[in-house]
């Protein structure tokens, strides 16, 4: 691989990519496939947050937890899995999944697609210019002929609480990479990271307490029934969930974290995890050199080009543009951005309407997400609340998944619920949410229905196999049909 060195003159590339997570890697690959000389700049591990501290390790921790929960619901099998998890084996598997926090394979992949690499902290230094501070060396100046793509992602947004620094709190990074199980773990927050890590560490032996500031329940951005089902399961597993309370101050004394709470109460734990949202990793990116404010989100158009920067050379792809903070959405945006950069570099017109419609559909109206808790939650498109706020006329169709034959095969005493939102003007599905064991695999069919704007009369001909949980689709369509056949009660 051609690595830049401090002794070279300013290196000139067609495209400079800042950040080598999944998003940055995909932008770089697409730009190189378009024939553009491309370099990627990364100060940590190639593969980024998802590969080493988020998606991959968290699911490695959760998979045995969910597999055991599923097995306990199967007659004839539950007795075989009544014991505790083998914590050492779970953590060792997690370490294998993240390649022991080494990125040799990723470096080899980057070499195979002929993308250059500069390891160090990259900062913008005016239009189309980047300066990289490499470890133990002089700065490396880079120039882009066509584009600079910012793919630096996000960090945990930790609130400014008195005593915070003294307790050395966990963020999602520590929660997914820890090598010992804390006896007591306080989890601050009620969103996806909070519920997933509460699920994992409670099962691995911690006594988990969740402190949720609001009173909207867990997973507040999803349908309320999903959060209720997850809360019920967490409580049954032994998690203490407290709503309407936040942390007012912190201190670490005699090895434990001591908390003063907003309601005047006190609590203690061995570790405290803040899962309180994300902030863009742009504070030390040199945004001030191009007229932007450090630490802010980068607003981008539907081809991921930053709208506030003249000349159209700066792109913001993935979490940093705040469109949809999910790895798969970042990779999707990267494919769009890489193709757009290539087309513009060749002087070809980019059909903004075509590109924009495609990207906007995926980033705004059809974002799929799975929450890997017990029960699982899978959702795509609008929630009921979002549809109401947008002024969309929708029919809400709910169905108890336990009434589907496949659910009985999957688990004894199955508990789950499905919701489908039908746009009454177009006759298409604009949102779907499933909560229950094994529902993650229902999500892609829902995503296709929403993205493809498939009319309900066509969905009738998408026949679900029997006996599978996917038969819930047929039951929701039948419920909607029967409702439509009922005589109107209007005068």
């Amino acid at each position: 691989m051609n690595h830049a060195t401090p002794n070279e003159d300013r290196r000139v590339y067609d495209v400079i990519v800042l950040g080598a997570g999944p998003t940055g890697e995909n932008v770089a690959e697409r730009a190189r496939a378009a024939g553009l000389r491309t370099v990627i700049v990364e100060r940590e591990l190639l593969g980024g947050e998802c590969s080493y501290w988020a998606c991959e390790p968290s699911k490695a921790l959760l998979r045995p937890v969910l597999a055991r929960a599923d097995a306990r619901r199967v007659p004839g099998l539950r007795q075989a899995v009544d014991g505790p998890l083998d914590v050492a084996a779970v953590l060792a598997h997690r370490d294998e999944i993240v390649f022991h926090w080494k990125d040799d394979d990723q470096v080899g992949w980057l070499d195979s697609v002929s993308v250059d690499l500069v390891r160090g902290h990259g900062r913008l230094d005016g239009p189309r210019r980047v300066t990289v501070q490499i470890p133990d060396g002089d700065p490396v100046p880079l120039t882009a002929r066509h584009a600079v793509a910012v793919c630096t992602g996000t960090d945990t947004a930790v609130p400014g609480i008195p005593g915070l620094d003294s307790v050395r709190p966990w963020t999602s990074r520590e929660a997914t990479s820890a090598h010992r199980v804390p006896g007591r773990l306080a989890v601050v927050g009620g969103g996806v990271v909070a519920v997933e890590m509460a699920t994992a560490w409670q099962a691995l032996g911690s006594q988990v307490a969740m402190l949720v500031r609001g009173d909207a329940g867990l997973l507040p951005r999803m349908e309320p029934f999903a959060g209720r089902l997850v809360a019920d399961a967490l409580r049954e597993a032994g998690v203490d969930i407290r709503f309407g309370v936040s942390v007012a101050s912190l201190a670490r004394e005699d090895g434990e974290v001591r908390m003063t709470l907003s309601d005047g109460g006190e609590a203690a734990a061995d570790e405290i995890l803040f899962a309180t949202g994300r902030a863009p990793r742009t504070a030390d990116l040199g945004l001030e050199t191009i007229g932007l404010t450090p630490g802010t989100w980068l607003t981008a158009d539907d081809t991921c080009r930053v709208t506030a920067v003249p000349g159209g050379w700066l792109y913001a792809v993935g979490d940093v543009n705040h469109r949809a903070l999910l790895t798969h959405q970042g990779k999707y945006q990267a494919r769009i951005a890489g193709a757009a950069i290539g087309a513009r570099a060749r002087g070809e017109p980019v059909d903004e309407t075509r590109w924009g419609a495609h990207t906007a559909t995926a980033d705004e109206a059809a974002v799929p997400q799975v929450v890997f808790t017990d029960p699982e939650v899978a959702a795509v498109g609008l929630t009921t609340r979002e549809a109401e706020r947008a002024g969309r006329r929708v029919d809400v169709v709910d169905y108890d998944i336990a009434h589907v034959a496949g659910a009985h095969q999957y688990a004894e005493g199955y508990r789950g619920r499905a919701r489908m939102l039908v746009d009454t003007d177009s006759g298409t599905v604009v949102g779907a949410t499933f909560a229950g064991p094994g529902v993650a695999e229902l999500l892609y069919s829902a995503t296709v229905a929403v993205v493809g704007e498939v009319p309900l009369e066509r969905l009738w001909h998408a026949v679900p196999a029997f006996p599978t949980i996917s038969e819930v689709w047929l039951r929701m369509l039948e419920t909607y049909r029967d409702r439509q056949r009922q005589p109107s009660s209007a005068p």
Side-chain angles (χ1 to χ4, degrees):
M1 181 181 292
N2 296 320
H3 294 267
T5 68
N7 297 322
E8 293 175 288
D9 294 331
R10 180 176 292 276
R11 297 291 296 268
V12 179
Y13 287 88
D14 294 314
V15 179
I16 301 171
V17 179
L18 299 178
T23 298
E25 289 177 332
N26 274 271
V27 172
E29 181 191 22
R30 291 304 170 106
R32 188 68 189 90
L36 302 177
R37 187 165 182 256
T38 303
V39 63
I40 197 164
V41 178
E42 176 55 62
R43 65 179 181 177
E44 294 186 300
L45 297 174
L46 272 69
E49 202 79 14
C50 176
S51 298
Y52 303 103
W53 299 286
C55 320
E56 296 281 3
S58 67
K59 303 318 170 277
L61 294 174
L62 286 159
R63 177 57 188 155
V65 177
L66 303 185
R68 182 180 67 169
D70 285 341
R72 284 175 168 174
R73 288 185 279 260
V74 179
L77 184 58
R78 63 171 61 96
Q79 294 81 4
V81 293
D82 272 345
L85 292 171
D86 184 338
V87 174
V90 172
L91 297 182
H93 175 64
R94 184 270 319 274
D95 293 351
E96 289 290 330
I97 288 290
V98 299
F99 299 100
H100 298 274
W101 290 275
K102 296 179 181 178
D103 62 2
D104 296 357
D105 285 353
Q106 293 292 325
V107 172
W109 172 83
L110 205 63
D111 196 13
S112 74
V113 296
S114 301
V115 172
D116 283 2
L117 167 66
V118 179
R119 287 192 182 271
H121 177 54
R123 299 182 82 256
L124 293 164
D125 188 24
R128 293 186 173 85
R129 296 198 304 271
V130 171
T131 298
V132 185
Q133 181 61 59
I134 64 173
D136 303 320
D138 294 328
V140 175
L142 306 172
T143 299
R145 294 188 186 94
H146 298 295
V148 176
V150 177
C151 309
T152 49
T154 58
D155 287 314
T156 299
V158 180
I161 297 173
L164 180 69
D165 292 342
S166 69
V167 304
R168 301 180 301 281
W170 279 13
T171 67
S172 55
R173 282 198 167 196
E174 290 76 19
T176 57
S177 63
H179 282 89
R180 66 174 184 83
V181 179
R184 298 164 299 170
L185 176 64
V187 178
V188 182
V192 175
V193 173
V195 297
E196 287 189 347
M197 290 298 93
T199 298
W201 287 106
Q202 180 73 26
L204 289 170
S206 287
Q207 176 54 60
V208 175
M210 297 186 71
L211 306 175
V212 186
R213 180 177 58 184
D215 56 6
L218 300 182
L219 303 174
R221 295 185 179 181
M222 306 185 91
E223 295 285 8
F225 70 81
R228 288 195 294 268
L229 284 169
V230 171
D232 290 345
L234 284 171
R235 286 191 172 110
E236 289 174 9
V239 175
D240 177 18
I241 306 175
R242 310 181 197 179
F243 291 109
V245 63
S246 58
V247 178
S249 65
L250 291 163
R252 189 177 284 274
E253 300 177 9
D254 299 326
E256 70 177 10
V257 178
R258 297 184 181 177
M259 296 162 272
T260 301
L261 305 180
S262 58
D263 60 4
E266 296 182 345
D270 297 294
E271 300 291 350
I272 184 168
L273 163 63
F274 280 90
T276 46
R278 307 294 295 179
R281 198 174 287 160
T282 61
D284 190 20
L285 196 61
L287 293 183
E288 68 279 3
T289 69
I290 56 171
L292 300 181
T293 304
T296 57
W297 302 99
L298 298 177
T299 302
D301 66 16
D302 290 335
T303 61
C304 296
R305 197 162 52 172
V306 176
T307 56
V309 175
W313 59 271
L314 185 65
Y315 289 72
V317 194
D319 286 7
V320 75
N321 65 29
H322 209 222
R323 293 171 70 100
L325 278 64
L326 294 162
T327 296
H328 46 275
Q329 295 299 123
K331 292 166 68 174
Y332 170 78
Q333 291 175 19
R335 296 191 290 270
I336 297 297
I341 290 169
R344 287 172 175 139
R346 293 188 299 270
E348 299 173 0
V350 174
D351 186 336
E352 298 285 355
T353 301
R354 179 171 64 88
W355 283 102
H358 188 42
T359 307
T361 297
D363 285 345
E364 297 173 10
V367 175
Q369 182 174 15
V370 177
V371 185
F372 292 87
T373 46
D374 176 32
E376 290 177 338
V377 179
V380 64
L382 300 175
T383 64
T384 308
R385 181 170 52 248
E386 288 168 344
E388 291 173 348
R389 288 175 179 171
R392 300 285 290 269
R393 296 196 306 159
V394 296
D395 281 335
V396 179
V397 182
D398 287 331
Y399 197 82
D400 186 343
I401 302 178
H403 294 160
V404 176
H408 295 286
Q409 297 290 342
Y410 195 92
E412 185 177 59
Y414 190 101
R415 286 184 292 177
R417 185 174 173 185
R419 171 168 292 184
M420 176 177 72
L421 301 184
V422 179
D423 186 292
T424 58
D425 295 321
S426 65
T428 61
V429 179
V430 294
T433 300
F434 309 93
V439 300
E441 299 305 328
L442 296 175
L443 188 57
Y444 189 67
S445 59
T447 303
V448 171
V450 174
V451 172
E453 300 179 351
V454 183
L456 261 60
E457 57 265 26
R458 291 304 304 161
L459 284 181
W460 276 105
H461 300 285
V463 181
F466 181 88
T468 65
I469 297 175
S470 63
E471 199 177 20
V472 71
W473 275 107
L474 174 60
R475 301 306 173 212
M476 288 192 294
L477 290 171
E478 290 175 337
T479 300
Y480 182 71
R481 176 204 60 192
D482 293 344
R483 182 187 300 172
Q484 297 302 109
R485 287 177 174 177
Q486 292 177 358
S488 174
S489 59

